[in-house]
Amino acid sequence: MSHELMTEPLWTGDYYNEGSGKEGLDKLKEECGVFGVYRHPDAASLSYYGLHALQHRGEESAGMCVSDGTQFNYHRGMGLVKEVFTKDLMQTLTGDISIGHVRYSTSGDSKLTNAQPLVFKYRDGDLAVATNGNIVNAPTIRRELEQSGSIFQTTSDTEVIAHLIARSSKGLVEAAKDAFQRIVGGYAFLIMTNDKLLVASDPHGLRPLTMGKLGDAYLFASETCALETIGAELIRDIEPGELLVLDADGLHEDRFDNHKHRKALCAMEYIYFARPDSDMNGANQHAARKRMGSRMAIEAFVDADLVTGVPDSSISAAIGYAEQTGIPYEMGMIKNKYTGRTFIQPSQELREQGVKMKLSAVRRVVEGKRVVMIDDSIVRGTTSRRIVNMLRDAGATEVHVRITSPPFKNPCFYGIDTPDSRELIASALSVEEICREINADSLAFLSPDGLIASIQGDNQDDYKGGLCLACFDNDYPTRLDFDGEEKFGCSC
C-alpha cells in the first residue's frame, strides 16, 4: 500500500523555493508567525529581527507594515526575511508602530497577493491585518459578502476580517469585536491603523501569542524566542478571547468573547512547530521535548547501540530518550541548513530521493549499529520511509523508530496544513502495518497520556493551559482540556 504524494515544487519568479515545504515531503508545516511593535522609534528594525527569529514558522513569504502616525510604509515579498528586506528597503520603513508576518499558506494560493500584512483603505484611513491561523468559516462569510457587493483582492481567508470591519457602521474596536464573534477557527490577529494596534486571540487560544515590553514600547510575537532576540521582557501570553487595544491613551485590556474557555494550545506547537528556546503556557519547549523522549523510553524501550534524532525538532526528545535508557546519543544525521531558494531546479531523481536534499546520514556513526531513530510525527509516511532507508544505506543493521507524539489520525481545520484523512497513514493502517510500510524493525508512538504528562512536567500546578489533541484523538474531535470536560467538534 503506497502513501506517496508528490506535488509540484513552488516557483517564485526565477527561483525554486526548496525551503517552502511544497515539494511533497510529509512534514507538517506551521501556518504563520506574527510580530508587532507599538510606540518604538525603531519599529521596523525590531520587526525585522523578530520575524527572523520566527522564520521557522513560514518560509514562503514575509511582509511588514509600519505607520508613522499619518501614513503606512509597507513591503511584502516572496521568500525568506533576509531576502525580502534589504538594507536600502528597511530605511524606507519609517514609523513607531509596526506589524510583520512570515507565511506558510494553509488557505489561499502561494502568491504575492496573499502575502501579509494585507493592507486596505477604508473610511477611517488605512488598515493592515496580519494573522497566524485559519478561519474555518471564511468561505461562507466570503460568499455572503460577495453577494452583498464586496470585492476581494486575495484568496486568503484573512481578508474576510478586513471586509467585516470595513462594512461595519461602528468604530474600529466595536467593529473588530463583532467581526471576531462571527468567525470560527484558531487564530492570533494583529490589526493596525495609522495610530492604533489591536491584538486578539481566538476563544480557545489555539494559536500562540505573547506580549513583551522593551522600555515603554509594547511588543507582540507568536513565540517568546522573538522577544528574546531583541532583548524584550516577556509580560504574559494573550488570553483566549482577549482583545487588546493600544492607542494614544495606552494599553486597554478588553474581550470579544466573555465565555471563560480554558486555553487549549495546539499540541503540535510543543511537539514540532515552536523553537526549542521558546516558552508556551509556562513550559519550555526543549524541556518538554526532552520529557517526551524520556517518557517514550519508558513506554517503548528497545535495546540498541545509539540514539539519534531527526534534526532539528527531534533532537531534544532524542537526548531525553538517551538519558533515560543510558544508550549513547549520537549525531547520526545532519541537516543541510542552506536549502532556501535556488536558481537550480532539482532533477526528478533528486526530487524522488527528496529527503537527501535536506538530510544526510553520518555513515561512520551509524554503520554496523542498531539505531533508535527519534522523530516527532508521521503524517503520510513517505519521509519516515526515506529516512529509515537512508540509515540502512549508510550501514545501520537495525532501525527502530520512536515517534514522540500519538498517531496523527485526523486532519486539522484550525490552521495547520494537513492532508485529508485518506492521506494520513495512521488513519488507514495499524502501527504494525505502518512499521512495515516505513521499513523499520520496530515502531512505537507516544501515548496521549504520556504527551500530556510530558508537557505538564513535574510541577503540574505551574502549567497554565489546556491542550488541543484534535489530530490524535478519535474519541473527541477536539479535546480541549486535560480532563476532557470541555470539548467541541469541528464546524467544517
Side-chain angles (χ1 to χ4, degrees), residues 236-414:
R236 64 176 178 87
D237 295 328
I238 307 304
E239 294 302 313
E242 187 172 24
L243 175 64
L244 300 182
V245 181
L246 296 98
D247 57 23
D249 295 325
L251 170 67
H252 310 273
E253 298 178 348
D254 202 346
R255 297 188 61 81
F256 66 88
D257 185 308
N258 291 314
H259 296 89
K260 286 293 183 180
H261 304 286
R262 183 150 182 214
K263 179 174 278 193
L265 192 65
C266 171
M268 290 307 298
E269 293 287 351
Y270 295 100
I271 295 165
Y272 173 60
F273 291 144
R275 261 177 42 169
D277 54 335
S278 286
D279 296 340
M280 290 186 177
N281 286 348
N284 173 257
Q285 300 292 0
H286 169 69
R289 290 170 186 168
K290 277 190 69 177
R291 291 192 293 266
M292 292 175 202
S294 177
R295 180 68 179 243
M296 185 81 257
I298 294 170
E299 292 184 1
F301 171 80
V302 61
D303 193 20
D305 300 309
L306 65 91
V307 178
T308 191
V310 178
D312 287 319
S313 59
S314 301
I315 291 176
S316 299
I319 293 171
Y321 191 100
E323 289 181 354
Q324 181 67 38
T325 61
I327 300 172
Y329 167 79
E330 295 286 354
M331 192 176 292
M333 289 174 280
I334 298 294
K335 181 180 180 181
N336 177 10
K337 297 181 182 296
Y338 302 98
T339 50
R341 301 200 302 168
T342 174
F343 283 107
I344 304 173
Q345 182 186 18
S347 66
Q348 180 62 30
E349 181 181 0
L350 280 176
R351 285 205 305 273
E352 289 173 355
Q353 292 179 350
V355 74
K356 291 185 179 181
M357 295 178 65
K358 290 187 174 182
L359 205 62
S360 300
V362 184
R363 178 175 294 274
R364 294 297 179 91
V365 171
V366 303
E367 192 171 24
K369 302 293 177 60
R370 299 169 298 167
V371 176
V372 179
M373 185 195 93
I374 307 293
D375 204 356
D376 47 68
S377 59
I378 296 180
V379 182
R380 295 185 179 96
T382 54
T383 298
S384 297
R385 182 171 67 248
R386 288 165 179 161
I387 295 174
V388 169
N389 289 337
M390 180 179 69
L391 290 168
R392 292 192 187 282
D393 290 344
T397 58
E398 297 176 13
V399 181
H400 301 275
V401 178
R402 296 296 180 265
I403 305 298
T404 54
S405 66
F408 200 106
K409 297 180 179 180
N410 304 317
C412 176
F413 298 98
Y414 294 104

Side-chain angles (χ1 to χ4, degrees), residues 211-227:
M211 176 170 63
K213 286 200 77 176
L214 185 63
D216 294 329
Y218 286 94
L219 301 105
F220 302 90
S222 293
E223 292 185 34
T224 60
C225 65
L227 300 177

Side-chain angles (χ1 to χ4, degrees), residues 55-67:
Q55 186 73 84
H56 59 286
R57 299 185 70 89
E59 300 178 351
E60 196 168 276
S61 66
M64 189 189 310
C65 181
V66 186
S67 174

